[in-house]
Amino acid sequence: MNRWLILTLACGLTLPAGACSFIDSSVSSSDSIASSSSSFSSSSPTSRETAYRDDVRDYTYAYVISGGDPTVFQTRLAAIAEQHGITNWEANTATYVGIGQGLGKAKVKPVELDAFKQNLSHGDPAKAQEIQRGYEQMAR
């Protein structure tokens, strides 16, 4: 999961004051190790897409369980895509599969799934289908 996201959620929602500075330094150290080791594996498009999809999944999951602000959701998706070198996240299949996986991981009810599909696909049946596919992958 994106360490920045974990830190943001933990510090903003659950941890006492002072705990975040300790976590921040720990995350910085592990981020530098992770980024240096992932630079070797991220050279292929497949591994880059997989890492992107996984971050979208984890962000969506965190967003759902924290009751996040709907206006921020798509802005953060764009930022995650940018971090992964994805230039058009709205046209990227991995975005919608990752969203569906996050919804599945959060065990949203079918009515909530339908609302997400409706709102995020903007009427595009292929995007809605990818959200559904990701959701079903997590239900297994």
Side-chain angles (χ1 to χ4, degrees):
M1 180 180 228
N2 184 315
R3 286 173 178 74
W4 177 87
L5 177 62
I6 292 171
L7 180 63
T8 300
L9 289 173
C11 291
L13 301 175
T14 58
L15 294 180
C20 293
S21 61
F22 171 75
I23 291 173
D24 190 32
S25 63
S26 300
V27 169
S28 297
S29 299
S30 63
D31 275 347
S32 62
I33 293 167
S35 71
S36 65
S37 65
S38 70
S39 65
F40 294 107
S41 65
S42 66
S43 59
S44 74
T46 304
S47 64
R48 183 171 34 129
E49 290 283 318
T50 300
Y52 168 64
R53 185 206 58 221
D54 290 350
D55 279 354
V56 169
R57 177 198 62 218
D58 293 340
Y59 171 66
T60 303
Y61 169 75
Y63 169 83
V64 169
I65 63 167
S66 70
D69 181 354
T71 60
V72 175
F73 185 74
Q74 291 186 9
T75 302
R76 183 65 188 130
L77 284 178
I80 292 169
E82 184 177 332
Q83 290 172 346
H84 287 277
I86 307 293
T87 57
N88 188 358
W89 67 270
E90 292 174 305
N92 191 305
T93 301
T95 301
Y96 300 96
V97 173
I99 290 169
Q101 288 178 344
L103 296 171
K105 186 175 178 181
K107 300 185 185 325
V108 300
K109 296 178 177 151
V111 68
E112 294 171 297
L113 174 63
D114 289 342
F116 271 96
K117 288 187 329 189
Q118 177 78 22
N119 292 329
L120 295 173
S121 71
H122 302 289
D124 183 334
K127 291 176 183 177
Q129 184 178 0
E130 292 303 322
I131 293 171
Q132 182 71 42
R133 184 168 67 98
Y135 180 82
E136 290 171 359
Q137 287 173 352
M138 297 306 287
R140 295 180 196 163

